[in-house]
Amino acid sequence: MSLRNLDSNGNQALTFSIGDSLYGINVGNILSFSDTFNEIQYAGGREAEGFVGYLDFRNTLVPVFECATTLGHRRERDDLMSLVDEIAGYQKAHVDWVSALEQSITSGEPFNLARDPKICDFGKWYYSFKTKDESLRSLLDKIEEPHVRIHSMADILLDMAAAGQVDEAIAKLRIEKQTTLRVLLRTLDYISEFLKNGIHPVVLHLTREGQDTWFSLVLDNIGDVIDYNIDAMEAIVRENSREPLEGFIRDPSGLSFMLLSLEKLHQHLNEEVEVEVEAPAA
C-alpha cells in the first residue's frame, strides 16, 4: 500500500510504537508498506545488527532491517511468542497440579503444591499482568473464576479424603477435570491464539528522493498518520549525538513522538557493516 498521497505538505509522519517508546517516520520517505515479511531472502553472513536479509521489491533486491533491533529494543513479536510459550507452561502446570491432587487423595501422601490461586506461578503472572488491549483483557477476565475454583478444590477434596470419603472426592475431582479445568485450559488456548494472531510484521519500504527504494524496515505495528509543525519540532540538542533522530514532534492529543532521521539511521547501519568487513583478522 502506498502512502505517497498522504504527503501533501511534507509535515506528516507515520507513527508506531516499540514497547513504551513512540516513533514517527516522515511520510515523504515512505514508498509503501506490505506484508511480505515471509518473502525476505535471509542472508547467511552477519552484517549490521538488525539486518534481516533482502526483499525483491520492484525488481530490486532491497536490504531489510528490523526496526526494533536497530533502535536497541526487543522485538514485540518475540515478547508475544515468549508469552505464548509461558501460557503453554501454565496449562501443563495446572494439568500436573490436578494430577498431583488426585495422587494425594488416593495415596494419602502430602499435597505440597500451591493452594492459593495467587501464589502459583500462573497466579503471580495473572495478577501482575497489565495490558491496554481490551480484547485481551476480556479474555483474561474469563480465567479468574475457573482458576480460583480449581485451587479451592484442594482443601475441600483433601478434607473429604481425610474424613474417609476418598471415592467421593475422586469422583468430584473427575467432574471438575471435565468442566472447570477444561474451561481454564480452553480459555488459555484462546488467549494463545489471540496473541499469535496479533503477530503481523509490516515491511516499510523507504525512499530518499521519492522514487527508488532506499532500504526497508520491519515494524511489529503501525499507528496513525499525524500532522506536525516543523517549526515547533523540539530538536535534539545533545552534542555529537549518534541517536538517529530529527527531534520530537507532537500530535494534537499532546503525545510526543521521536521523529527518525533516516539519513542518520542508514549511516549508522552502513558504519556497522564497514566495521564488520574491515575488522582485521585476529
Side-chain angles (χ1 to χ4, degrees), residues 56-89:
D56 189 354
F57 180 70
R58 297 181 180 177
N59 298 318
T60 301
L61 285 179
V62 180
V64 183
F65 300 86
E66 285 282 357
C67 189
T69 307
T70 59
L71 295 175
H73 295 278
R74 279 179 55 84
R75 302 187 307 183
E76 289 190 359
R77 63 184 183 277
D78 289 339
D79 290 335
L80 288 177
M81 287 310 302
S82 294
L83 184 51
V84 168
D85 291 341
E86 285 183 39
I87 288 173

Side-chain angles (χ1 to χ4, degrees), residues 37-229:
F37 178 79
N38 291 331
E39 298 176 17
I40 295 173
Q41 300 179 40
Y42 292 90
R46 179 183 181 277
E47 295 192 37
E49 185 177 7
F51 177 72
V52 180
Y54 296 93
L55 189 62
D56 189 354
F57 180 70
R58 297 181 180 177
N59 298 318
T60 301
L61 285 179
V62 180
V64 183
F65 300 86
E66 285 282 357
C67 189
T69 307
T70 59
L71 295 175
H73 295 278
R74 279 179 55 84
R75 302 187 307 183
E76 289 190 359
R77 63 184 183 277
D78 289 339
D79 290 335
L80 288 177
M81 287 310 302
S82 294
L83 184 51
V84 168
D85 291 341
E86 285 183 39
I87 288 173
Y90 295 143
Q91 288 176 305
K92 182 179 184 303
H94 281 84
V95 171
D96 292 344
W97 187 94
V98 171
S99 295
L101 178 58
E102 185 170 8
Q103 174 65 21
S104 179
I105 292 170
T106 56
S107 68
E109 298 172 357
F111 181 72
N112 298 318
L113 299 182
R115 304 189 190 192
D116 186 334
K118 295 184 179 181
I119 298 302
C120 72
D121 287 341
F122 173 74
K124 291 177 181 177
W125 170 81
Y126 178 77
Y127 289 104
S128 64
F129 182 75
K130 307 295 182 184
T131 179
K132 296 179 182 178
D133 190 314
E134 293 183 3
S135 296
L136 178 57
R137 184 74 264 167
S138 177
L139 285 172
L140 289 167
D141 288 344
K142 296 178 180 179
I143 291 179
E144 186 170 23
E145 192 278 330
H147 182 239
V148 170
R149 181 177 174 84
I150 280 291
H151 279 270
S152 70
M153 296 306 297
D155 288 337
I156 295 171
L157 299 183
L158 290 171
D159 286 346
M160 290 176 64
Q165 299 175 310
V166 173
D167 291 343
E168 293 88 341
I170 291 297
K172 189 172 181 61
L173 178 60
R174 288 175 179 168
I175 292 173
E176 293 296 330
K177 287 169 63 175
Q178 296 301 314
T179 54
T180 308
L181 179 61
R182 180 172 292 184
V183 169
L184 175 62
L185 298 179
R186 186 186 302 124
T187 305
L188 289 171
D189 277 335
Y190 292 154
I191 292 173
S192 292
E193 289 303 311
F194 178 87
L195 294 171
K196 287 187 280 189
N197 288 336
I199 299 174
H200 293 294
V202 176
V203 182
L204 203 64
H205 304 295
L206 304 170
T207 181
R208 176 183 278 156
E209 80 300 324
Q211 294 295 326
D212 299 324
T213 309
W214 189 7
F215 64 102
S216 298
L217 291 175
V218 179
L219 302 176
D220 283 327
N221 68 76
I222 55 175
D224 297 324
V225 173
I226 64 170
D227 294 304
Y228 67 94
N229 187 337

Side-chain angles (χ1 to χ4, degrees), residues 10-11 226-237 246-252 254-259:
N11 296 333
I226 64 170
D227 294 304
Y228 67 94
N229 187 337
I230 291 179
D231 295 332
M233 183 170 66
E234 302 171 33
I236 302 298
V237 296
E246 294 284 358
F248 290 87
I249 58 177
R250 297 184 187 278
D251 71 0
L255 287 176
S256 179
F257 295 82
M258 293 179 281
L259 185 67

